[in-house]
Amino acid sequence: MSFNIYQLFDNRLLRTLVVFGCLVLCVWMLAWLLKPVLLPIIISLVLYALFKPWVNRMVRGGRTRSSAALMVLITIVGINGSLLAVLVPEVMTSLSTLSPRVQRLALIGEDLFAAFSSFAERLQLPFETSQWLTSVKGRLVSLDIESILASGNTVLGVLANLILVPFLTFFIVRDYPKFRNRLMNTVPNKYFELAWHIYFRVIRQLQSYVRGLLIQLTIMALISALGFWLTGFSSPLTLGILVGLFGIIPWLGPLLGTIPPLLQILSTTEPQLIQIIYIFVVIGIAYFIDNMFVVPLFIANVVSLHPLFVIIGVIIFGGLFGVAGMVLAIPAIVVVKLLITGLYQGLAIQTGSYR
Amino acid sequence: MQEVGLVQHPFWHNLFRRSVTLESTIADLWLNTALFDRIARRHCETMVPNMQLRQYGKGEVIFNQGDLGIGVVMILSGSVSISSNGNQLALLSKGDFFGEVALVSDEPRTADAFADQDSELVFFLRPHLIELLEQHPPIASQLMLNLARVLASRLRASNDMLNRTPDSEL
């Protein structure tokens, strides 16, 4: 009895998985090729999703796509300039006031580790505490403002992205439909409609997710900043923005959001328990409002994923790609879900290509 | 001496004459359909660059009954056979369109379509109709109204056919 490999592809699930695997491989290779500019491309695509309704409104008002893209470019450059002019001095001040505090924290940490080390020695525990101490000290010292500024590559990279992102966004806003149509033209006739169908579903959900996420993070940052301002924290805006930014990371976000204000409190000469309670109250209220009102309004309809899938996805993507993986976990799970269901649905028909 | 029947135009005529490109041919064909009724040529011409032009060989399947449809198809050249359960329902030629239900609904295709000859087909897809709704609502509304008319007339034709069919054949 002879075995025909093509018989394997009669199985609908197997065929779905093979096509899905090929697509993942293509995306992986493209990401590898574009690695040096992947981050600005992703940021530009996110900005395109955010600005799309405004671009549509401008086109509806009679502007050409090119002039709408130019308006977006001017807006992004304006926002970048404002952020640099307003936020950078505040962050620099915060960091410079935090810097001596960090040194103090390092000394406290050193004392704690020394105490732990002698305790471990007394109990003859198999820990090499001196190594831990050196590594933790090194990490804390690297928070020093001079060290941050000295890492010229990081600063240059950020500046390059600040310049590159508006221009990439301009071209994406102007030419994205053309690129998309040309790319879709390369799909074979048999899968042409299926490809459009899946693309349409994926892109609609991703764009809604990005817009919902931005609204969610902005609301969270504003509530936190207001809370920190009312409870008398210094640099409440920076702390609020950090809470908002950490909010991108699912599940871990709230925990990470408490770290900057906690550091601020712990590095004062007399840390008070009530201030630590304030931190948890402020972030708790922000997340309560987020979960009760913001998520049901802007996110839940877009991403209907079981919490268990989200937790597992975040752990897997976090393990594979670090913090970036955790941030991209939810949209990646949405894309994988839509791709597999779309392919499974679309590859159901067993008929041939010719009559 | 001027030849009989050959109309002589002044030299500047060509400056203002619209060149016949593929895009204007496609626009002309769409404008002759009920789907693009009362839609201005300039609006139709802005939609054409988004449409997808695809070639099919003789006998090649365009879609099967049950496939996921994403748009309406217009024949630019060649001919297309529409059939259901092995019975040919129609043989369409240049300028005809089919599969318009997919413009409004995610439902599977209701018939099979394959190229009867080597054919060039133009696809107008639902994502593009939605973009049109977002960017030019009045034009998209007219298009949707036309689409509703086309679907209503097809429904009426189906009802008439059913009414004409003797009960014994149902």
Side-chain angles (χ1 to χ4, degrees):
Chain A
M1 198 175 115
S2 66
F3 173 73
N4 185 355
I5 194 162
Y6 291 105
Q7 280 173 353
L8 269 177
F9 294 95
D10 286 345
N11 185 311
R12 184 175 167 192
L13 182 65
L14 192 69
R15 209 164 44 199
T16 303
L17 291 176
V18 168
V19 176
F20 175 73
C22 291
L23 282 173
V24 169
L25 195 69
C26 290
V27 171
W28 198 285
M29 280 166 68
L30 195 69
W32 180 76
L33 274 173
L34 296 173
K35 204 178 171 187
V37 282
L38 197 59
L39 183 66
I41 288 177
I42 291 174
I43 296 172
S44 303
L45 286 170
V46 167
L47 286 171
Y48 170 65
L50 292 176
F51 282 108
K52 200 184 165 199
W54 187 43
V55 171
N56 284 343
R57 206 169 299 143
M58 282 192 278
V59 173
R60 205 158 52 218
R63 278 182 186 277
T64 60
R65 216 173 159 87
S66 297
S67 71
L70 191 67
M71 288 298 289
V72 170
L73 172 75
I74 292 166
T75 310
I76 296 172
V77 169
I79 291 170
N80 277 352
S82 310
L83 281 177
L84 284 173
V86 176
L87 274 184
V88 167
E90 195 185 343
V91 171
M92 295 298 245
T93 319
S94 304
L95 282 173
S96 55
T97 51
L98 203 64
S99 178
R101 293 174 186 178
V102 168
Q103 303 285 351
R104 200 176 148 267
L105 271 179
L107 287 173
I108 295 170
E110 201 170 329
D111 290 345
L112 275 172
F113 273 108
F116 180 74
S117 179
S118 65
F119 178 70
E121 269 173 32
R122 212 175 301 158
L123 288 178
Q124 294 182 329
L125 291 173
F127 293 133
E128 198 57 57
T129 46
S130 57
Q131 270 186 0
W132 281 15
L133 191 63
T134 319
S135 119
V136 171
K137 263 175 73 182
R139 281 178 194 184
L140 282 172
V141 170
S142 70
L143 273 174
D144 194 353
I145 182 74
E146 283 83 12
S147 320
I148 290 171
L149 287 178
S151 54
N153 280 344
T154 316
V155 177
L156 269 178
V158 171
L159 278 176
N161 283 347
L162 278 177
I163 296 164
L164 194 61
V165 164
F167 287 98
L168 274 176
T169 313
F170 169 80
F171 287 112
I172 289 174
V173 169
R174 202 187 64 167
D175 298 324
Y176 177 78
K178 271 187 228 165
F179 288 144
R180 176 199 60 190
N181 291 348
R182 278 183 198 165
L183 192 72
M184 284 299 192
N185 258 336
T186 60
V187 178
N189 281 343
K190 197 182 172 189
Y191 303 110
F192 165 71
E193 284 203 286
L194 177 63
W196 268 103
H197 193 84
I198 293 172
Y199 161 81
F200 184 45
R201 282 169 65 181
V202 167
I203 215 72
R204 209 166 41 173
Q205 288 228 350
L206 280 185
Q207 286 184 345
S208 308
Y209 174 74
V210 167
R211 278 181 220 134
L213 188 68
L214 187 89
I215 293 168
Q216 181 198 11
L217 299 183
T218 309
I219 292 172
M220 211 146 65
L222 288 175
I223 294 169
S224 311
L226 183 73
F228 288 130
W229 179 67
L230 287 173
T231 47
F233 279 79
S234 58
S235 312
L237 187 64
T238 314
L239 293 178
I241 289 172
L242 286 173
V243 171
L245 284 176
F246 284 130
I248 297 176
I249 305 166
W251 300 102
L252 269 183
L255 204 65
L256 293 172
T258 58
I259 292 172
L262 263 179
L263 277 175
Q264 196 184 80
I265 296 299
L266 288 175
S267 56
T268 52
T269 44
E270 283 179 13
Q272 289 175 338
L273 183 67
I274 189 75
Q275 284 176 307
I276 296 172
I277 294 170
Y278 280 155
I279 296 170
F280 288 99
V281 169
V282 167
I283 293 181
I285 289 173
Y287 273 89
F288 176 76
I289 294 172
D290 179 60
N291 283 310
M292 289 301 287
F293 306 106
V294 183
V295 172
L297 264 175
F298 299 105
I299 305 277
N301 290 339
V302 180
V303 185
S304 52
L305 292 172
H306 195 279
L308 189 68
F309 279 118
V310 176
I311 296 171
I312 293 170
V314 169
I315 292 168
I316 292 172
F317 277 86
L320 285 173
F321 309 107
V323 178
M326 292 172 97
V327 172
L328 296 173
I330 292 180
I333 297 168
V334 171
V335 172
V336 167
K337 185 185 158 195
L338 288 173
L339 265 177
I340 290 183
T341 51
L343 286 171
Y344 189 74
Q345 211 179 344
L347 296 173
I349 304 300
Q350 302 281 323
T351 45
S353 307
Y354 277 85
R355 292 268 166 128
Chain B
M1 196 180 144
Q2 196 174 314
E3 277 183 57
V4 178
L6 192 71
V7 183
Q8 288 283 314
H9 289 296
F11 72 91
W12 59 82
H13 180 265
N14 280 344
L15 286 175
F16 302 103
R17 193 168 59 183
R18 198 161 42 84
S19 61
V20 183
T21 59
L22 183 65
E23 288 187 358
S24 67
T25 310
I26 293 170
D28 281 336
L29 288 172
W30 274 123
L31 287 167
N32 283 330
T33 63
L35 203 57
F36 278 72
D37 187 30
R38 292 182 204 179
I39 287 180
R41 161 170 279 282
R42 63 194 171 92
H43 292 142
C44 183
E45 279 177 346
T46 58
M47 287 180 233
V48 170
N50 264 336
M51 294 177 185
Q52 303 276 297
L53 178 67
R54 300 191 78 86
Q55 280 90 26
Y56 287 80
K58 187 182 176 182
E60 191 176 357
V61 172
I62 298 157
F63 53 74
N64 286 306
Q65 196 168 351
D67 278 0
L68 291 169
I70 193 83
V72 59
V73 192
M74 197 256 298
I75 303 166
L76 182 65
S77 68
S79 65
V80 170
S81 174
I82 309 288
S83 61
S84 179
N85 302 321
N87 302 319
Q88 192 182 56
L89 301 176
L91 186 66
L92 306 173
S93 57
K94 185 179 174 178
D96 291 333
F97 67 94
F98 57 96
E100 63 280 353
V101 178
L103 266 186
V104 280
S105 167
D106 245 353
E107 297 297 309
R109 295 285 192 191
T110 51
D112 301 326
F114 69 94
D116 200 51
Q117 304 166 14
D118 287 349
S119 305
E120 283 181 305
L121 307 178
V122 183
F123 284 75
F124 178 44
L125 307 172
R126 198 176 337 126
H128 297 136
L129 179 63
I130 287 169
E131 274 176 7
L132 194 71
L133 264 170
E134 289 166 352
Q135 292 174 356
H136 304 284
I139 307 165
S141 306
Q142 182 61 51
L143 203 68
M144 297 294 260
L145 198 65
N146 293 342
L147 183 61
R149 283 197 190 113
V150 169
L151 292 174
S153 73
R154 302 243 157 133
L155 183 66
R156 204 176 304 121
S158 303
N159 284 344
D160 288 348
M161 200 171 75
L162 277 172
N163 287 337
R164 279 199 304 272
T165 312
D167 286 348
S168 57
E169 284 182 27
L170 285 173

